[in-house]
Amino acid sequence: MTQLRTLLDSAYHTAKQGYYKDALDEFRLILNHDPGQQDALYGAAACAFRLGQNILAEELVSRLLKRSPRHEQALALRERIAASGFSDAEEK
């Protein structure tokens, strides 16, 4: 298993446990080294959305869709973000 895969697995595991802020930090660490990493972009966007940071979530989804316009999960997340509105809630 590559180091990147290990980091991604850790970030997704953290998110699945409900620690979205910690997971978002892990995804950001990956994106600092590889800004186009699609799994990290999606994971970060999903965490930002769960935290009510819709503007950040939309930015991340947009970056992902520029690289992969047919990314089904990203398209679905974009719809969920739009349905909830773009105003950021206070971070939980």
Side-chain angles (χ1 to χ4, degrees):
M1 187 177 294
T2 67
Q3 186 175 14
L4 173 61
R5 184 81 253 160
T6 301
L7 291 171
L8 282 167
D9 288 347
S10 173
Y12 274 102
H13 179 73
T14 302
K16 285 179 184 175
Q17 291 182 323
Y19 300 107
Y20 302 116
K21 184 176 182 331
D22 293 337
L24 180 56
D25 290 342
E26 290 181 55
F27 287 121
R28 283 181 169 159
L29 179 65
I30 296 165
L31 292 170
N32 283 339
H33 294 285
D34 184 356
Q37 212 298 323
Q38 291 185 19
D39 291 331
L41 282 168
Y42 177 78
C47 287
F49 178 69
R50 290 283 191 148
L51 291 166
Q53 297 177 8
N54 293 355
I55 293 170
L56 175 60
E58 175 59 29
E59 173 194 320
L60 292 163
V61 166
S62 291
R63 283 175 46 193
L64 174 53
L65 289 172
K66 282 181 186 174
R67 294 183 167 278
S68 182
R70 296 175 192 245
H71 192 286
E72 289 182 24
Q73 290 175 304
L75 290 167
L77 181 56
R78 175 175 265 174
E79 287 181 22
R80 290 174 59 203
I81 295 166
S84 69
F86 286 122
S87 62
D88 280 354
E90 255 185 62
E91 189 174 306
K92 297 176 185 176

